[in-house]
Amino acid sequence: MIYAFYIFAFIAVAAAAGIVFARRLFHAALFLLVSFLGVAGIYAVSFAEWVAVTQILVYAGGVVVIIIFGIMLTARIPGRPTAVSNSKWFAGTLLALAAMGFLITLFLSESFGTATAPPVEEGFTLVNRFGIVLMTDYLLPFEVAGLLLLITLVGAAVLAATRNNNPTS
Amino acid sequence: MPDHILTYLIFLPVLAAFLALFVPRDRAMWFKVLNLATCALQVILVIMAVSRYGRETGELRLEERMEWFSLNLGTWGNLKAEYFLGVDGLSLPLIALSAFVMLIAAISSWTIVKSVKGYFILMLILNAAIIGSFAALDLLLFYLFFEFMLLPMFFLIGIWGGSRREYASIKFFLYTLCGSILILVAFIGLYISGSAPGDVATHTFNIMHLRDAGNYLPGSVLDPSGGWVIGGWPARNWAFLLLFVGFTIKLPMVPFHTWLPDAHVEAPTPVSVILAALLLKIGGYGLMRIAYPLFPDAALSLSWLVGLFGVVSIIYGALTAMASKDLKRLIAYSSVSHMGFVLLGMASATQEGVTGAVYQMVSHGVITTMLFLIAGVLYDRTSDRMIGNYSGLARIMPIYFAVVLIAFFASLGLPGFSGFIAEIMVFLGAFRSEVIHLSLAIIATLGLALGAAYYLWTLQRMFFGPLHVRGAATAEQLVDLGLREKTMFLPLAAITLILGIFPQLLLRYVDTFAVGFVALLTGGS
Amino acid sequence: MSPDADIAYLIVAASMIVLSAPLVSGILSALVPVRYSWLVSLTASFMLLIAVVGAVLLAWTAGLEQTRHFSTEWFTLGGSTVSAGILIDKYAVVMVLVVTIVSFLVHMYSAGYMAGDTSMRRYFVMLGFFTFTMLGIVLSDNLLILFMCWELVGFSSYMLIGHWMELPSAAKASRKAYIMNRVGDLGFIAGLMIVYRNTGTFDITMLAGHALQGWETAAALCFFLAITAKSAQFPLLTWLPDAMAGPTPVSALIHAATMVAAGVFLLARIHFLFPPPALQVVAAVGLATALTGAAAALGHFDIKRILAYSTVSQLGLMITALGMGAKDAAMLHLFTHAFFKAGLFLAAGAIIHTLHQAQMSTGETYDVQDIRNLGGLQRLMPVTFGVFLLCGASLSGLPMFSGFQSKEAILSSILHGHNTWGVMVAALFILAAFLTVVYTFRLIWFVFINNTSRPQWTTVPEVPFVMRFPMIVLALASLWWIVSPNPLSFSGWFMTGNAGALSTLTSMAVVLGALVFAYLFFRKKAAVPKVADILTSTFYLDTVFAVLVIRPVGHLSYLFSRIDRKYIDGILHGAAYAQVTLAHIVAWFDKVIIDGLVNLVARLAAWTGALVRTFQSGNIHMYIFWAGIGLVLLTLFIVA
Amino acid sequence: MIPIEHYLILSAMLFSIGLMVVVVKRNAIAVLLGLELMLNAANINLVAFNLAHPERLDGQMFAVFVIIVAACEAAVGLAIILRAYRLFHTAVPDDISTLKES
Amino acid sequence: MNIEGGLPEKLEWIRDSLEFFGPELILFTGIIIVLCAGIIVPSVRTGRSHGVPLILALVTTLLACALSLADWNAQGEATDLFGGMVINDRFSSWLKIVCDLAGALTLLLSLPSSQERKHVSEYAALVLGVVLGAHFLSMSVGMVMIFLSLELISISSYVLAGYSFRQAGAEGSLKYFLFGTASSAIMLYGLSLLYGLTGSGIIASREFAEGLMEHQSLLLLVAGLLALAGFLFKMAALPMHLWAPDVYEAAPMPVVALFSVVPKLAGLAVLTRFVLAVTAYGQTAFDWKAIVGLIAILTITAGNVAALRQVNAKRMMAWSSIAHSGFLLIGVGALTEQSVQFMMFYAAVYFVANYVVFGYLQYFESRGLQTIPDFAGTGRSDPAAHTLLLTGLISLTGIPPTAGFTAKLLIFTGLYDAYRTTNDPFLLWILVPGLLNTVISLFYYLRIPYYAFIRDGQSTPVKYLTWTNFLGLVLVLILLGLFFRPDGLMGWINKITFVL
């Protein structure tokens, strides 16, 4: 199980790195998918099954698919390479390394509690508990999330629906 | 209208401006007449005020006082601002001067043609602001009027000005706004550490309350007994310095004076008249009304600085005037030189000096009005003010020459004119003062010789010698003064002459003020 | 009421008449419409006549014995009040008489001299105004008012010197005069301030009581600076010769008789303020002036300039006398000098006037003021000649003339002390007197006797009566009787005392010797053939004189005039140039540095703005990048 | 159990990589990928910390909501990118910079 | 732990909490109604009666405002709802009122230009969405709520930014989206770290504070800064301000007005709560006030100096709004009760003045004046509008006789007072440049009047009695009134007792 964690972690990071070095956008999206799955695995091994499932459903099933649609739509125009070119290597790596080094040193300097499995009463699974909390303590965020989805729907609809007869105007 | 005479003085122009809003913009004459009528009415009101004031008193008269607003600052008391007007021996002459000069400016504005409506509305607002800032006795009220002068002035210079008007207006605005910000800082400090007599919780803007040291919260920033020390210097000194710089920018004092020549040169004649005759006075007035009485200790300990800058302004202004080729610029620099006397007199902290300073403010107000009108007369004729372009004008414009003679010699302090009395009193004060060094006074006397030098040189170049006119102008344009111009000059000349021969007319009011002022200073130390 | 009281009323009334009449005359002249400007001369002269009457009344009522003081409150300063009033003593009375009479005569003379001048009204306005202010100096009891009038006479002299504005020389001269006087006035102000600082009052009568602890010499020298400027003493004397650019009657009134004497008068009035060291300075300056003036007078050829220099040297003599403490003698000389010098100027004016007329008729141009162009006028203008002769005699101090008496008075009171300083001064004084005689003789010789007569001068007329009358009056007034009945003694109505026979004889001898020498010398110089042979007999004498005296004197005079022209003026001009350049430097500083700072601030703000805006590349990646960098930097800043 | 620091290091790596992607990639969609990575990193943190404080499920809850929000953002973001693409015929923001300091 | 045990009372407080949600429910239903109106009423779709959704939304915002006002008066002290996820106190109510009014004014401004705009009902819904998000954000103390409501605002804003369906609009919304998502990811990371350090998802809770006490480490600082980044992004303050100019330039004018007020104030609210939380009752090792002060002064300076040279009026106003968020942050930097109250006053005044300016900018934009040089000489022909605009700009500068002066005076007074109490020289260092910035700001604020009045240019006279002038006059009168009698409003604000 411990090894599983590291394996998944390796997969996630490697896939993420793959995104950086991917030549074609489509491959990058696939790398993202892999990375997501790896992360989901990590959730699974750390007592967050529900999150893992959501991750797989929403991310792998939703987001990545949307993204791939997007790639298709933007790639479909003839005469344009779908290859994604990189720029500002220096700035990017600089920022990334700075952030990583900074964070990791800080993390190592700090002591967090030890990881323990969340307690579960008999007759309940973690998911039951999850559901109850979601419907009581997190009722308001739940509703707001619904509202957010509505707004997103409206916004996406507006953006998608407008056909611009005269682009420059 | 028993006691609201000051309110009427201030709000009459506002009312007039409001009326002017509804006059169609093409009725130029209506605006001129409206403005003129307003100013005339104000002069009458001022005369009434003077008669009400009586002569024997030293303290405030014609007070009007009501609460403006009071903000609750939570745990930390509340902030009280008042609508508090009143005049004493300092502000009464200045208010009278303002009304009078405004009248003259109204006459001189007759030649304005460009978008008359806006011009006169701005003039009326400016009028109200000036008189208000002379009458206000509440710091916030004063600051309101003080700031209220900026924008009308900015537009008056910027819209109706000369060729480089944009630069001039921006520069004017920059300087004065910086000054007012500095003043604002000091005001915040004042009302934070001051309180109304009786209840500590009320933070007041009332100048009269902030005068006496008893009303400061113990241990507050500007507490006279044991205030704070910032950067190894008492906070009160800093505050005084802020006020000093803020007001001397307005005065103007070297080295904060460079807005003045540009603003003057570019502004139209009536505006530069108001600028020189009244706005500069607000700097001196602010020092005498706020900076000195509220910080007597700091003022005394820094008076060497004030005196030094005064003397520097006197000499520097005179020298620069000598070098300037534009008549109006020369006059502007002469103002710098003359306002230096105000500083010197103030710094001397003696009866004579303070009296002289106030006297100088009034007399400079009248004389500089003449000077700028003179420059305006020439500019109206030929739109060319270069001294070098004229010679021998005395032959073809004798009345103008007479007026110029009077104005110039009055300005260089010839006895018999008000300027002489003022300057001699300043010197008396400077020589017998204990707080500033004698050498300052002695150096300052050189200013007189320099003044004579540049005025006489100008006379010799422009009016003596054989007649010829260079540049764009032609001799045919140079007709002598008309009736309107004579009516402008006559009262001005008469007033400087009268004030020069019978100083008691003005001293009656100033003297009592100066007594109180000196007592406050020396008592405060 | 007591007789003393109504005497007082009379005195005040008289002095009011004296003061107001000239002012009224000035105002009247201003009010007269342009078309009737000829009226001006009548009204002005009439008002001045009234003034003379008032002056006589004043002298009669007040007398010379006691000093009277009337004052009223002028304005109040805090507790103290500044008073204004009149102080009448012997000197005041004398000065009032001199001023009114000479002024009246000059007014009258001007009626003829200025006839047809376009700006005659301004002229008479200023003349009246001048007289008024001059009387103000004389009568005021109070240093402040005295100073005011002091400056005002400067103003009117400025206006009158520059009366002919078209002439650049006049404009320059007037400005120079005013500014030099202004420089002196600084001294006056400083003195005033010192006095006020230490005594708290301006009242002359009260000043006598107070002591200026430690400040006496300073105050005295400050006042003396003012006196130096006003009375054209060394080194501030060069404005006076230039002031001759003004109309001649003005020179007579202002620059000979009255205004320049104001310094002497002031010195006499506040003599008590002068401690001994200051007085020695005064005497030294006076002597220097007297010699310089006399020598310069020898070197010049412009008639008015010569007279001006002689005025300078005479004033120097008065100042010397005051420096030696001889107040009465100095005032006496002032009194006599006023008349004969005014007479000389008026006569010179007559000549100039006439010859100008002649030039207009014949249309030829030569400098009528250059004595080398003149000569042989005694036949053509006998009256003028006579006046010139009498006044000249009085100037050079011949016996039987007032000048002799006053100079003798001075000499005797100088020698009174019997100390070496006195003797030294006396010697130089005598030298000056000697030179005076020489240049006076030279002047008269060149102008009238020495015959380079031009043919067309047969037509030259004598001046009209209105001009002749004042000249004659002044000529008579330069005779002995106005001082005392005894032609050889100065002790009369004004001052008493008698000179030692020694001094009388010396002065007589000096004067006569000088006369003889001058005659011999100029006779030869004038190269009149029929006297040449008489000269040959005294040839060696001539050469000896020439070698021993004339050349040195000539060189000296040349040198002195050079010094006047070049160095002293040069210094002044240099100062002026320096001032102007300094002014330009200051202006530059103004434009560059101070504005520069302001613009610098503005530019700084603009620059920062540009810096901030460079992040706005419009490139979203860079936005995010910069945001991240910003956060990191912020963290580092806070941690550090 | 796995020490929490390891989760954190993992999340730090993902976060930095995401940041790098955001800065480096020129294509907007690629940038979107990077953003998603960053969100994931945050999620890993949340879940991990929930292990440290197990008595309540705040972390996991938070993570779920983050996922939802991420989906929303992806949707709207893609819509926006497609609009821009339609108007500019490119999905590369660097080529779309008409708005900048004049 | 026992799950059913807690259940009944949880349901209890959920029911209680709902009655405090009047405004939000109103807004929510408003969104639905507006959308339905857009779908059902055919004339709206065809664009003939385009005004209808806007009017509906306007009514909704006004109702919400009225309700917020009602429970302002109702509740004296703070009550935490939904298990402490959100807090309803006068602080939040005040901001809600302001945001509702801002939304109403925005819809009002969009009325005249609505006919050339497509999807009006969605537009109204999105505006309401922003307002609703501001409502939530101003109340929320739970991290989840903070994140969600922030995203609610963001997503609505992304779409609104592109609502002028042009290239610029698309680019603006793209940039806004990318930048916003990045910053929210950063914030999320920070929040997650904070959660990890304290073990509590609610910043107002006691264990959050205790958790902070335990970990006073550098990591806490970093986490706090990362979280702060998100709020600063909403406020458009340094260093997260870079999106603002481009987006403002791209978005339609009413939307810009909305952006310049509503998200700013909401972000300000949550930032204030956050700073108060992380200072942990003043026992923290890090001087968060100083940090905020530093950010404030940097923001003010950057905004002002960058605005100096702008040519496009909108862009200039964008920088000015950046500067103003700095001024607002000063109130947080001082962080005394008065200073927060003064901040609220400032917010109200800033809101009014800003709407005056943007209203007129839209008015002039409709007359084809885009860049500042375009304004040359228009003041002569249209003095009324320009005078009102000038008053608004002066109020933004902070010169008498406008409420802007009073607001600045109060803000600086608060700072000065904080300096007096906590003798912290840093506050003085904020004070001085803050004041100097006022001078700088004058320059660009006066540029439009300067061009309009002083520069010469050709222009055609227009009539005074316009709808815009009326609106502007009302707002300007409010500004003047707030200068001459601030005590009414201030006394009202004084009722805000600010606690977590």
Side-chain angles (χ1 to χ4, degrees), chain A residues 5 39 42-48 51 107 112-118, chain D residues 1-12 40-63, chain E residues 189 192-193 195-197 199:
Chain A
F5 170 83
V39 174
I42 288 174
Y43 294 156
V45 299
S46 48
F47 308 98
V51 184
F107 290 149
F112 304 90
T114 55
T116 53
Chain D
M1 296 292 291
I2 307 108
I4 296 203
E5 284 72 12
H6 295 189
Y7 285 91
L8 296 181
I9 293 169
L10 171 62
S11 81
N40 266 277
N43 269 354
I44 293 176
N45 276 356
L46 291 169
V47 170
F49 285 132
N50 202 355
L51 294 175
H53 311 284
E55 62 282 356
R56 297 180 56 188
L57 286 175
D58 293 338
Q60 297 195 8
M61 279 295 168
F62 204 164
Chain E
Y189 204 80
S192 68
L193 288 178
Y195 163 69
L197 289 172

Side-chain angles (χ1 to χ4, degrees), chain B residues 167 171 174-175 254-259 261-262 316 318-320 322-325 329 333 351-352 355 394-395 401 405 409 412-417 420-421 423-425 427-433 438 442 445-450 452-453 456-457 459-460 463-467 500-504 507 511 515, chain C residues 73-80 82 118-119 122 126 129 144 147-152 154-155 158-159 162-168 170-172 174-176 178-179 182-183 185-186 189-194 196-200 202 215 576 579-580 582-591 594-595 598-599 602:
Chain B
Y167 173 70
K171 199 169 171 187
L174 163 68
Y175 266 99
V254 178
F256 307 126
H257 64 290
T258 52
W259 62 270
D262 292 308
Y316 189 102
L319 284 175
T320 329
M322 196 176 303
S324 48
K325 298 181 175 55
R329 183 169 280 268
Y333 275 117
Q351 177 70 28
E352 297 81 358
T355 316
R395 175 60 58 200
F401 175 57
L405 267 183
F409 276 89
L412 64 82
L414 187 74
F417 293 110
F420 171 77
I421 301 284
E423 286 169 9
I424 210 75
M425 280 181 181
F427 283 130
L428 289 178
F431 267 83
R432 85 183 313 192
S433 127
L438 189 61
I442 292 170
T445 50
L446 292 179
L448 295 181
L450 294 176
L456 294 189
W457 197 29
L459 274 179
Q460 184 194 338
F463 291 90
F464 288 32
L467 164 71
I501 298 171
F502 307 110
Q504 191 61 22
L507 287 179
D511 202 33
V515 172
Chain C
E73 172 180 319
W74 185 25
F75 61 82
T76 60
L77 263 179
S80 61
V82 176
T118 49
S119 48
R122 191 175 74 231
M126 278 304 148
F129 183 66
L144 185 56
F147 174 64
M148 292 173 67
C149 301
W150 182 270
E151 281 209 351
L152 286 173
F155 168 68
Y158 167 80
M159 288 304 291
H163 177 72
W164 288 315
M165 298 176 168
E166 294 74 12
L167 307 177
K172 262 179 104 311
S174 58
R175 172 166 136 253
K176 183 176 172 184
Y178 191 82
I179 289 179
R182 192 81 176 180
V183 172
D185 295 342
L186 299 190
I189 288 182
L192 271 184
M193 297 307 153
I194 293 171
Y196 185 79
R197 175 195 173 92
N198 293 307
T199 67
F202 291 125
W215 286 91
Q579 216 175 44
V580 173
L582 179 59
H584 280 292
I585 290 168
V586 168
W588 173 84
F589 181 78
D590 204 309
K591 196 169 271 71
I594 294 181
D595 279 8
V598 176
N599 299 341

